[in-house]
Amino acid sequence: MTVTETLNEGLKRGYELTITASAIAAKVDSAIAEVAPQVRMPGFRPGKVPSNLIRKMHGEALRREAIQQAVNDAVNGLMTEKAIRPAMQPTLDLDGGANEGEDLKVSVSLEVLPDVPDSDVDGISLERLTVEATDADIDAAVERLAEQQKSFEDAPAKHKAKTGDLVVMDYAGSVDGVAFDGGTGEGMEIELGSGRLIPGFEDGLVGVKTGDEKTVKVTFPDDYPAENLAGKAAEFAVKVTAVRQPKTVVIDDTLATNLGLESLDQLKTILKDQVEAELNGLTRTYLKRKLLDHLAAAHSFEVPPSMVDAEFQQIWQQVAAEASDEDKASMEAERGDYGRIAERRVRLGLLLSDIGQKNGVQVSQQEMNRLVAQEASRFRGQEREVQKYFAENAMAAAQLRAPLFEEKVVDFLLGKAKITDRAVTRAELEAAIESEDETPLGAGAPGHVHGPDCDDDHGHDHGAKPAKKAAAKKAVQAEEAAPVAEEAAAAPTKKAPAKKKAAEAVAEAAVEEAPAKKAAPKKKAAAK
């Protein structure tokens, strides 16, 4: 094989490999000799079929396989000989070699990983904002949990429904007098003020009594997923079968025992742990963001355009999927901003990977086994297949390993940093985080149930539209680098959440604020 370099410009490389006809022929002969013992043909004993007959019957297929093997060997040899570290999969263009006696020319185009400059990892000065979980925080968490556990009782016959009451109703919807699919239902329960229904529907139920029949007029949102209903005015014939009032929930040991716990004190202990974990998460989010800001400002080196493009496409797809219709109209004007976000993510990913390698940061086999087990737990009944997949697929394993590797590098850097603590309130910490985000998170996207309600299982809310640039905010808020495996570029993979005890899971739900107030960013988002 001969190798000719055709391009050496920045991180771009090009090579032309010539694989001789004799080398291909030798691989074909080797393949024929390998399969000969298994070939069966009438008139010949097993394994005694002449090679010329095997060549005549299977030569074309064996030649294709031989060429594929020759190309793989040639490209792998090129990478080893030139000590090339490809940023992405090389692009190959084959010319010739299809016929006997014909050389094969392979054009190889690729981008290489850059030489990352050494980083001074000692003595980085950072400020850490800390928040102490107060008794008031714990009491508020208990109250939220109690609110979630409330029940309802039948209201007096003449009671008029108000916000907070539960209305049970049958309904039948129509547009221009014509009923539509999914627009009828019986016995639906709705808590007034919950925001579950189409805008205006719950308001139309305020003041109704048991036995009332009423026509509620609403307009489907313009971004409603059913195109035949989006933006349309509709009428729902409603019959109220019951109105129920919320019972007062007493915060005492009974509340805890109803959740499977021994006492209110035990419940408060669990909630305190959850509150502290959430506050620690906010603290780490802010601290990690400042660390990455420092690294980004201190390092500037060329990054592979192919990696930047791949990262951009991931960000762009996420933004497009989560953007409101209003945002989508202006997205193109911000394409350049997201391109710079992608470049920063890739640069930080490569930098963190280099720092980790040079300082011996590793993901242990035990940690890797745990990651695989967590991922396999998401596919019940297929756990063995998932484990086998990661055992046999090095790139998939690298993708799974990369986020944990990044977190360990961050921990390594924070362990060497000069960190000063400053106590603040939760509101101040959230404000510090949000000050680096352009807008707060918006509400969820509309669902696809065509009646007045939206099934809770869908996780949507028809009562509010996403805040402007909500998707953009979500794409940049976590301030993370693009996860890069120790030896190869790898796209981020969502990790399966760890399982919790039932009581802890219930308690955790009470700790979370309403979506409009939450400031803790989610993982696996783009860096600002």
Side-chain angles (χ1 to χ4, degrees):
M1 180 185 75
T2 60
V3 178
T4 303
E5 186 176 72
T6 59
L7 177 65
N8 189 333
E9 182 180 307
L11 299 178
K12 295 182 179 180
R13 300 289 185 273
Y15 301 91
E16 184 174 274
L17 313 180
T18 301
I19 304 174
T20 63
S22 59
I24 297 174
K27 285 190 175 294
V28 173
D29 292 341
S30 177
I32 291 174
E34 184 177 348
V35 302
Q38 287 81 42
V39 174
R40 299 291 186 269
M41 186 177 295
F44 296 93
R45 287 182 297 168
K48 299 299 182 180
V49 180
S51 60
N52 63 322
L53 290 180
I54 297 176
R55 188 185 301 274
K56 183 177 181 180
M57 294 181 61
H58 306 290
E60 185 175 347
L62 292 174
R63 185 172 184 81
R64 286 197 300 268
E65 293 180 7
I67 288 175
Q68 182 64 55
Q69 185 62 51
V71 171
N72 290 342
D73 292 345
V75 173
N76 290 335
L78 170 68
M79 301 301 168
T80 302
E81 178 185 345
K82 301 292 186 182
I84 295 172
R85 298 187 304 152
M88 302 286 281
Q89 193 74 17
T91 299
L92 307 180
D93 185 21
L94 278 58
D95 182 26
N99 302 313
E100 290 189 25
E102 191 175 61
D103 291 345
L104 172 65
K105 294 186 181 299
V106 183
S107 297
V108 182
S109 301
L110 73 155
E111 292 172 358
V112 298
L113 293 174
D115 292 326
V116 179
D118 290 336
S119 303
D120 184 3
V121 298
D122 294 314
I124 299 175
S125 297
L126 299 170
E127 182 181 55
R128 177 168 53 203
L129 305 184
T130 62
V131 181
E132 181 180 357
T134 64
D135 291 341
D137 293 328
I138 309 306
D139 291 340
V142 174
E143 290 175 4
R144 287 194 295 272
L145 182 59
E147 177 68 16
Q148 294 171 8
Q149 301 303 309
K150 69 182 178 182
S151 59
F152 294 85
E153 59 185 358
D154 289 337
K158 300 297 183 181
H159 176 78
K160 295 182 179 180
K162 59 184 179 180
T163 299
D165 287 348
L166 188 75
V167 172
V168 184
M169 65 179 180
D170 301 335
Y171 63 90
S174 61
V175 172
D176 296 331
V178 180
F180 52 86
D181 291 340
T184 60
E186 295 181 354
M188 187 183 77
E189 298 181 351
I190 182 65
E191 181 180 347
L192 301 188
S194 65
R196 278 183 51 200
L197 304 189
I198 298 168
F201 201 109
E202 292 176 30
D203 293 339
L205 296 176
V206 172
V208 299
K209 304 184 299 297
T210 300
D212 281 356
E213 295 185 8
K214 182 177 183 179
T215 298
V216 179
K217 297 181 178 181
V218 296
T219 300
F220 281 95
D222 291 336
D223 56 1
Y224 197 75
E227 295 182 1
N228 63 315
L229 298 176
K232 297 288 185 64
E235 293 185 354
F236 285 87
V238 174
K239 181 178 180 179
V240 180
T241 57
V243 174
R244 296 171 181 158
Q245 294 175 298
K247 292 182 180 180
T248 301
V249 179
V250 179
I251 298 176
D252 57 10
D253 287 342
T254 301
L255 172 64
T257 56
N258 288 339
L259 294 171
L261 303 175
E262 295 180 357
S263 65
L264 181 60
D265 287 341
Q266 184 184 12
L267 175 59
K268 287 185 176 181
T269 298
I270 293 175
L271 290 173
K272 182 179 180 181
D273 291 341
Q274 298 291 348
V275 171
E276 289 178 342
E278 184 181 7
L279 294 175
N280 290 339
L282 291 172
T283 293
R284 181 178 174 85
T285 293
Y286 180 81
L287 186 62
K288 180 179 177 181
R289 183 172 300 182
K290 290 303 180 184
L291 171 65
L292 294 182
D293 283 344
H294 172 87
L295 294 175
H299 299 84
S300 178
F301 54 88
E302 187 179 6
V303 294
S306 59
M307 292 182 70
V308 175
D309 183 65
E311 191 65 31
F312 170 80
Q313 293 302 327
Q314 178 188 332
I315 296 171
W316 195 250
Q317 289 174 8
Q318 178 185 355
V319 170
E322 299 177 4
S324 66
D325 289 343
E326 180 184 3
D327 292 339
K328 288 178 181 178
S330 60
M331 276 176 54
E332 285 299 325
E334 300 173 347
R335 182 179 285 269
D337 292 337
Y338 288 107
R340 286 185 286 274
I341 290 172
E343 182 176 339
R344 169 187 159 112
R345 275 178 54 87
V346 171
R347 182 174 290 109
L348 284 171
L350 292 172
L351 180 59
L352 290 178
S353 178
D354 185 76
I355 292 173
Q357 291 179 59
K358 290 178 178 177
N359 291 277
V361 177
Q362 294 181 347
V363 174
S364 69
Q365 187 58 51
Q366 183 179 10
E367 291 170 326
M368 191 62 197
N369 291 342
R370 186 167 62 250
L371 289 177
V372 173
Q374 288 176 348
E375 189 69 11
S377 68
R378 299 173 55 210
F379 303 90
R380 292 187 177 181
Q382 303 179 50
E383 288 85 353
R384 288 188 178 181
E385 290 84 346
V386 174
Q387 292 172 348
K388 181 179 179 182
Y389 171 74
F390 285 110
E392 297 177 350
N393 191 321
M395 181 56 74
Q399 291 174 343
L400 194 63
R401 182 190 301 111
L404 177 58
F405 178 73
E406 176 192 309
E407 288 303 309
K408 297 189 74 169
V409 175
V410 169
D411 288 338
F412 167 77
L413 292 172
L414 293 178
K416 287 182 165 292
K418 295 179 180 178
I419 299 176
T420 57
D421 290 334
R422 178 161 65 92
V424 297
T425 65
R426 179 186 181 122
E428 289 172 332
L429 177 54
E430 291 177 342
I433 293 174
E434 290 181 358
S435 68
E436 306 199 17
D437 302 326
E438 295 182 356
T439 57
L441 283 171
H448 57 269
V449 176
H450 303 332
D453 69 323
C454 177
D455 190 334
D456 288 344
D457 289 341
H458 301 148
H460 302 317
D461 180 2
H462 287 300
K465 292 184 178 181
K468 183 171 177 58
K469 299 187 188 301
K473 164 31 164 71
K474 188 173 182 180
V476 302
Q477 65 175 356
E479 283 294 320
E480 291 193 354
V484 176
E486 294 96 320
E487 297 296 339
T493 298
K494 184 178 179 180
K495 295 190 292 183
K499 293 183 179 179
K500 303 181 180 70
K501 294 180 181 178
E504 292 179 352
V506 172
E508 185 178 39
V511 177
E512 297 183 355
E513 299 280 359
K517 296 180 181 180
K518 289 176 73 174
K522 303 295 184 184
K523 289 200 63 184
K524 301 296 148 287
K528 186 175 180 180

